[in-house]
Amino acid sequence: MVDQPSSKPIATNPIPDLNTVAFAVEGPAYSSESETHVAYRPQSLYLVGTDGVIAAVLTPDDPQYHAIRAELARLNRLTSLADGQVLLPGFSDLHLHAPQWAQAGAALDEPLERWLGRYTFPTEARFADLAYADRAHRHLVQATLARGTTSVLYYDTIDRAAAVNLAHVCTELGQRGFIGKVVMDDPESNPEYYREDTATALAETERFINEVREFAPDSGLDAAPPIVQPVITPRFIPSCTDAALEGLGELALRYHCFTQSHCSESDWEHHTVFDRYGRSDTEALDMFGLLTDRTVMHHCVYLSESDADLFARRGAAVAHCPLSNAYFANAVAPVRRYRRQGVTVGLGTDISGGYDPSVHAMVRLAAIVSRNLESGVDASREAAERGGVADALVTLDRAFYLATVGGTEALGVRAGRLEAGYAWDVQLIDVHAPGNDLPIFENDEDPAITFQKIMNLSTPANIRAVWVQGRLAHGTLA
Amino acid sequence: MVDQPSSKPIATNPIPDLNTVAFAVEGPAYSSESETHVAYRPQSLYLVGTDGVIAAVLTPDDPQYHAIRAELARLNRLTSLADGQVLLPGFSDLHLHAPQWAQAGAALDEPLERWLGRYTFPTEARFADLAYADRAHRHLVQATLARGTTSVLYYDTIDRAAAVNLAHVCTELGQRGFIGKVVMDDPESNPEYYREDTATALAETERFINEVREFAPDSGLDAAPPIVQPVITPRFIPSCTDAALEGLGELALRYHCFTQSHCSESDWEHHTVFDRYGRSDTEALDMFGLLTDRTVMHHCVYLSESDADLFARRGAAVAHCPLSNAYFANAVAPVRRYRRQGVTVGLGTDISGGYDPSVHAMVRLAAIVSRNLESGVDASREAAERGGVADALVTLDRAFYLATVGGTEALGVRAGRLEAGYAWDVQLIDVHAPGNDLPIFENDEDPAITFQKIMNLSTPANIRAVWVQGRLAHGTLA
């Protein structure tokens, strides 16, 4: 639920020299104040620096508000939101297989082996054609930006050049891209036409890291992280040899890179890794040096208490993928327990194990499947025998926190909140968009109710503009 | 899955006199051939009669195809679909509380008593203001038409005049509306400001039936059913006295009206009715004459085998509401079992227990929650102990069947299939809509794959036009 106005004083920096202010936006906003509480902030003035970071947030009761506002208007650097427009932090998508965008929505009623062998691997292999890859990457980055997604942790394919292309596309279109060139080297578990040998996989990963860092150098400044970053990406343990996993762990240490993989996604994966190492997927990834404070692991449906404790100790994050898990995980990830254990959790679409490219949809689905998890599902059993899990509910406010704060914390980006010192990664919502006029029939509707309508009912039509690090990446302000 | 072309010969009527053809549409289409099989039909010519019914379907190998096509073009009665456009039957929404549109998306994290008492009842009572009701009704009917929903079974409020207004709005905007004036008369369970006494509730229901039938008379022809029909609507047993339920059963018999109510929605409702009558909700509704072959009961999560058999014997249908059930039902309705027992099943949004006005969304959610039902949800238990239900999966093809054939059969409307003799209740999908260009990167993509992308990825932006009984009710054909 939300307050109006926020009961907590808003942290503001001293008012900056207006020469360093690239632009300002004036309007109302929603932003997480805590994990259980989304705060509504009425009309405020957001000053965005030339570095793309919020320099200050002023409220109308600030004595300098009107003078600063007037000066910014005179400089033609002020945008005032129209009636029905409101700001939200941009969303982070912690798991998305970029090449699978070409098959999103398809073949989900197929069994997993067929889904992989007949559809997914051929679709990914197709990206060796760079012209095709470029077209699909652009289409995807535009589609996700248009849905308010400002940061994405991508898998691309095993092809280094394709993954580099995705990094260029993200840079050009202005989306934060954390991009993995996939490693899958085990001849036993991967098709001949879509794998590399171990040495090639490692060498290509290292070359990929260097190529991306060459055009997107790390400034070392939290306030201005590179727009794209290379991510070390073993597909998952069952598709990799020990030698590859060891080598990738060494690269992660040497280059201080993000790592990602699938972890304990399904009964099958969970048991396969245990049979191979006599330890859990989490423990095995940690053994290879792949579980660090720059790690996001996907799905994590079957983490034991001790696995989740290890995530918390290492500072590794979980990408909760509620849609994909319904199709492939055989259970609902207990993300409330993970949060209680101190694990950072964000949301992932998992295109195309999930089909919906919208993190807005994942917010809704995280809430929905948590309801099934709490109650259990089989109506023929009495409620107490239905197999539900207590304290499992993901409320809308909690899901919003995962999409904003959780996702950016997982990625080490200082964004996800509309506060001074945070990057201007923002989506501008229009509740009266011509393509989807939300059912708001009262002029004085409680902003908490309007927030819930926005989160549950908006479509891409309601997302009028999206900025990343202060740059307009989708839509217009006309 | 789908075939190309359909392996079954398409039933066609003899070619009609072209003077009785109002218009023709030429293009590809998808339509359920069976419960498990959606058929793709390449380019065909649909001749729609002046009665709004498909008079004939011609394929290009028909010897008269080109001559008829040319003549219709000359008469300016032919629409040929552009590349990327395809026809689907319109969808039926079997459960929607019209006044709750004003609060759709809101307050779902509240407990049920608070959700009803603080939000829902005041929202519904507000519709006694007819100007407000008219505004909200128009907004809702336009929103659902824009999402491809051609038939809706509505609850309105206890206010007769408001319910009559909804009937007028549906008539004017061209949506099939099955409309209930709600009855809730028990002083023990309803607030003073929002209930009627028993005699008034029955008299107002009877007057409502007569008022609606006066301006929308039943022709007695299956081919041209009235666009709106009155529906006898006890809110649910716990909100009604026995006298009201008896009286409504008598009205249903006398006027041969549709009936609807909530049935075995939650543990609480299921047990409350059992405690009151020593029998199940299904048996109690049947006892009052409210379970007939013109009945749709909502939710039906807790039907026993014998309850479902009674539904099948009576010819009563179930509205499956996957979204609302996640919030309020404490389990997933076992709709595959109901189908095996011969019960007619369609889909319902249940605005605002569910928030999404799109039956497209319900198709997706019916599949998603069926996955949770099949597997169970608690990952800490071994798969066999997880509380799942075998043979519970609702595939995409099955969900589409519920949205089209299931829904129209429940409502006694001969529509939901693109075949001769069926009403032209149709949605025109554009996969390359500017607001949502689907990820289709191959010119020769398998139509089965394209169908799955349409069903899983489309937004309202992809629904370019919607007809009901041959009348264009949304969009344009420009």
Side-chain angles (χ1 to χ4, degrees):
Chain A
M1 297 308 300
V2 304
D3 284 335
Q4 179 197 22
S6 168
S7 52
K8 226 170 99 175
I10 292 154
T12 54
N13 285 348
I15 292 156
D17 174 2
L18 291 191
N19 288 323
T20 69
V21 172
F23 62 91
V25 180
E26 182 185 42
Y30 297 99
S31 182
S32 280
E33 191 172 84
S34 73
E35 183 158 1
T36 55
H37 183 85
V38 175
Y40 175 68
R41 187 184 296 151
Q43 185 91 336
S44 301
L45 186 62
Y46 297 84
L47 307 186
V48 181
T50 49
D51 58 358
V53 174
I54 301 172
V57 183
L58 290 91
T59 56
D61 56 2
D62 190 304
Q64 299 174 83
Y65 185 97
H66 296 285
I68 290 173
R69 185 194 182 286
E71 177 63 8
L72 288 163
R74 196 189 63 79
L75 294 168
N76 208 19
R77 291 190 206 149
L78 176 68
T79 297
S80 288
L81 302 195
D83 184 44
Q85 296 186 344
V86 61
L87 304 168
L88 303 181
F91 288 160
S92 295
D93 185 345
L94 293 186
H95 188 33
L96 197 165
H97 293 266
Q100 294 177 21
W101 182 229
Q103 68 176 26
L108 288 165
D109 289 319
E110 301 282 350
L112 179 62
E113 315 78 66
R114 213 171 125 90
W115 184 81
L116 281 172
R118 174 160 171 193
Y119 295 92
T120 305
F121 290 156
T123 298
E124 294 195 9
R126 181 80 201 271
F127 277 59
D129 173 351
L130 272 183
Y132 183 88
D134 183 70
R135 178 180 169 214
H137 285 151
R138 279 173 197 281
H139 193 277
L140 170 63
V141 173
Q142 284 163 345
T144 51
L145 280 169
R147 284 159 174 81
T149 308
T150 47
S151 296
V152 185
L153 175 50
Y154 286 110
Y155 270 56
D156 204 60
T157 78
I158 65 171
D159 190 89
R160 175 185 41 77
V164 169
N165 171 269
L166 178 55
H168 281 294
V169 169
C170 285
T171 305
E172 181 187 330
L173 299 179
Q175 184 178 63
R176 288 186 203 285
F178 293 74
I179 297 163
K181 171 240 169 292
V182 173
V183 170
M184 38 198 282
D185 69 317
D186 188 342
E188 299 294 310
S189 53
N190 298 301
E192 175 66 33
Y193 68 86
Y194 189 54
R195 70 162 181 261
E196 293 169 308
D197 64 52
T198 310
T200 305
L202 292 172
E204 289 287 284
T205 296
E206 186 164 10
R207 189 170 158 197
F208 172 70
I209 294 167
N210 286 313
E211 285 189 11
V212 173
R213 288 202 170 160
E214 195 166 332
F215 73 87
D218 197 326
S219 66
L221 298 174
D222 273 356
I227 191 83
V228 292
Q229 296 187 40
V231 179
I232 288 171
T233 306
R235 189 176 196 104
F236 62 167
I237 283 182
S239 64
C240 294
T241 63
D242 287 5
L245 295 164
E246 279 164 20
L248 293 174
E250 286 162 15
L251 289 174
L253 187 64
R254 189 176 334 144
Y255 287 94
H256 192 48
C257 268
F258 267 88
T259 64
Q260 64 176 334
S261 196
H262 301 79
C263 176
S264 291
E265 175 176 2
S266 63
D267 284 309
W268 175 83
E269 187 197 347
H270 189 67
H271 290 299
T272 297
V273 175
F274 200 90
D275 290 349
R276 179 162 152 188
Y277 297 113
R279 59 183 84 193
S280 72
D281 209 345
T282 301
E283 292 164 338
L285 289 160
D286 187 57
M287 172 178 77
F288 290 114
L290 294 166
L291 201 72
T292 77
D293 62 356
R294 293 194 139 202
T295 291
V296 180
M297 287 294 161
H298 309 307
H299 306 289
C300 300
V301 177
Y302 293 89
L303 303 191
S304 67
E305 298 259 344
S306 112
D307 288 335
D309 282 342
L310 187 54
F311 266 78
R313 283 204 305 283
R314 294 288 184 261
V318 164
H320 176 43
C321 306
L323 178 53
S324 165
N325 289 349
Y327 280 95
F328 292 109
N330 322 117
V332 176
V335 294
R336 284 285 308 282
R337 171 163 72 78
Y338 300 162
R339 289 294 300 141
R340 285 193 291 272
Q341 293 189 248
V343 181
T344 300
V345 179
L347 299 176
T349 59
D350 190 22
I351 296 289
S352 69
Y355 45 77
D356 198 315
S358 163
V359 179
H360 283 265
M362 296 310 112
V363 166
R364 297 169 199 168
L365 285 164
I368 291 167
V369 299
S370 83
R371 297 271 164 172
N372 284 344
L373 178 58
E374 171 121 341
S375 67
V377 288
D378 180 1
S380 74
R381 303 168 194 238
E382 286 302 313
E385 306 299 319
R386 209 167 279 155
V389 172
D391 299 321
L393 288 192
V394 178
T395 60
L396 198 58
D397 281 14
R398 286 181 185 275
F400 183 80
Y401 179 89
L402 300 182
T404 55
V405 179
T408 49
E409 287 185 351
L411 296 171
V413 177
R414 195 167 165 80
R417 301 181 198 255
L418 295 180
E419 292 176 16
Y422 284 72
W424 186 254
D425 290 15
V426 170
Q427 47 186 322
L428 194 172
I429 302 291
D430 184 349
V431 303
H432 297 307
N436 190 32
D437 180 44
L438 299 186
I440 297 171
F441 303 125
E442 315 279 352
N443 289 329
D444 59 345
E445 186 172 83
D446 177 354
I449 297 295
T450 305
F451 172 72
Q452 295 160 6
K453 290 178 176 178
I454 288 170
M455 292 312 299
N456 283 328
L457 296 176
S458 62
T459 69
N462 298 98
I463 302 176
R464 187 187 177 92
V466 177
W467 295 262
V468 180
Q469 193 84 27
R471 175 180 163 194
L472 189 66
H474 168 75
T476 63
L477 299 177
Chain B
M1 298 304 300
V2 304
D3 283 335
Q4 179 198 24
S6 168
S7 54
K8 225 171 99 176
I10 294 155
T12 53
N13 285 349
I15 292 159
D17 174 2
L18 292 192
N19 288 325
T20 69
V21 172
F23 63 91
V25 179
E26 182 184 43
Y30 298 98
S31 183
S32 281
E33 191 171 85
S34 73
E35 183 158 1
T36 56
H37 183 86
V38 174
Y40 175 68
R41 186 184 295 151
Q43 184 90 337
S44 300
L45 186 63
Y46 297 83
L47 307 186
V48 181
T50 48
D51 58 359
V53 174
I54 302 172
V57 183
L58 289 89
T59 56
D61 57 2
D62 190 305
Q64 300 174 83
Y65 185 98
H66 295 284
I68 290 173
R69 185 193 181 286
E71 177 62 8
L72 287 163
R74 195 187 65 77
L75 295 167
N76 208 19
R77 292 191 206 148
L78 177 68
T79 296
S80 288
L81 301 195
D83 184 45
Q85 296 186 344
V86 61
L87 304 168
L88 302 180
F91 288 160
S92 295
D93 184 346
L94 294 187
H95 187 32
L96 198 165
H97 292 266
Q100 295 177 21
W101 180 230
Q103 67 177 26
L108 288 164
D109 289 319
E110 301 282 349
L112 178 62
E113 313 78 65
R114 212 171 125 90
W115 182 82
L116 281 172
R118 173 159 171 192
Y119 295 93
T120 305
F121 290 155
T123 299
E124 295 195 8
R126 182 78 201 272
F127 277 59
D129 172 350
L130 272 184
Y132 184 88
D134 183 70
R135 178 179 169 212
H137 285 150
R138 280 174 196 279
H139 193 276
L140 170 63
V141 173
Q142 284 163 345
T144 52
L145 280 168
R147 284 158 175 82
T149 307
T150 46
S151 296
V152 184
L153 175 50
Y154 287 108
Y155 269 55
D156 205 60
T157 78
I158 66 170
D159 190 272
R160 175 186 41 78
V164 170
N165 172 270
L166 178 55
H168 281 293
V169 168
C170 286
T171 306
E172 179 187 332
L173 299 179
Q175 183 178 62
R176 287 187 203 285
F178 293 74
I179 296 163
K181 172 240 169 291
V182 173
V183 169
M184 39 199 281
D185 69 317
D186 188 341
E188 298 294 310
S189 53
N190 299 300
E192 174 67 32
Y193 68 87
Y194 189 52
R195 72 162 180 260
E196 293 169 309
D197 65 52
T198 311
T200 306
L202 292 172
E204 288 287 285
T205 295
E206 185 163 11
R207 187 169 159 198
F208 173 70
I209 294 167
N210 286 314
E211 285 189 12
V212 173
R213 287 200 171 161
E214 194 167 332
F215 74 86
D218 197 328
S219 67
L221 298 173
D222 273 356
I227 192 80
V228 291
Q229 295 187 40
V231 179
I232 289 171
T233 306
R235 188 172 197 108
F236 62 167
I237 283 183
S239 65
C240 295
T241 63
D242 287 7
L245 294 165
E246 277 164 22
L248 293 174
E250 284 162 18
L251 288 174
L253 186 65
R254 188 174 337 142
Y255 287 95
H256 192 47
C257 268
F258 267 87
T259 64
Q260 64 176 336
S261 197
H262 301 79
C263 176
S264 290
E265 175 176 1
S266 63
D267 284 309
W268 174 82
E269 187 196 348
H270 189 65
H271 290 299
T272 297
V273 175
F274 200 89
D275 290 347
R276 177 161 153 188
Y277 297 113
R279 61 183 80 193
S280 73
D281 209 347
T282 302
E283 292 164 339
L285 289 160
D286 188 56
M287 174 176 76
F288 289 114
L290 294 166
L291 200 73
T292 76
D293 63 356
R294 293 194 140 201
T295 292
V296 180
M297 286 293 160
H298 310 308
H299 307 289
C300 300
V301 177
Y302 294 89
L303 302 191
S304 66
E305 299 260 342
S306 116
D307 288 335
D309 281 343
L310 186 54
F311 266 78
R313 284 204 306 282
R314 294 287 183 261
V318 165
H320 175 43
C321 306
L323 177 54
S324 165
N325 289 350
Y327 280 95
F328 292 108
N330 323 116
V332 176
V335 293
R336 285 285 307 282
R337 170 163 73 78
Y338 300 162
R339 289 295 301 140
R340 285 192 292 274
Q341 292 189 249
V343 180
T344 300
V345 179
L347 298 176
T349 57
D350 190 21
I351 298 288
S352 68
Y355 46 76
D356 198 317
S358 163
V359 179
H360 283 265
M362 296 310 113
V363 166
R364 296 170 199 167
L365 285 165
I368 290 167
V369 299
S370 84
R371 298 270 165 173
N372 284 345
L373 179 58
E374 172 120 342
S375 67
V377 289
D378 180 2
S380 73
R381 302 167 193 238
E382 286 302 313
E385 306 300 320
R386 208 167 282 155
V389 172
D391 299 321
L393 289 191
V394 177
T395 61
L396 199 58
D397 282 12
R398 286 182 185 274
F400 182 81
Y401 179 89
L402 300 182
T404 55
V405 179
T408 49
E409 287 185 350
L411 295 172
V413 178
R414 195 167 163 82
R417 303 182 197 256
L418 295 180
E419 292 176 16
Y422 285 72
W424 186 253
D425 290 16
V426 170
Q427 46 186 323
L428 195 173
I429 302 289
D430 183 349
V431 303
H432 298 307
N436 190 32
D437 180 43
L438 299 186
I440 297 172
F441 303 126
E442 316 278 352
N443 289 328
D444 60 345
E445 185 171 84
D446 177 354
I449 297 294
T450 306
F451 172 72
Q452 294 160 7
K453 290 179 176 177
I454 289 169
M455 293 310 300
N456 283 328
L457 297 175
S458 62
T459 68
N462 298 99
I463 302 176
R464 189 191 176 88
V466 177
W467 295 263
V468 179
Q469 192 85 24
R471 174 179 163 193
L472 189 65
H474 168 74
T476 63
L477 300 175

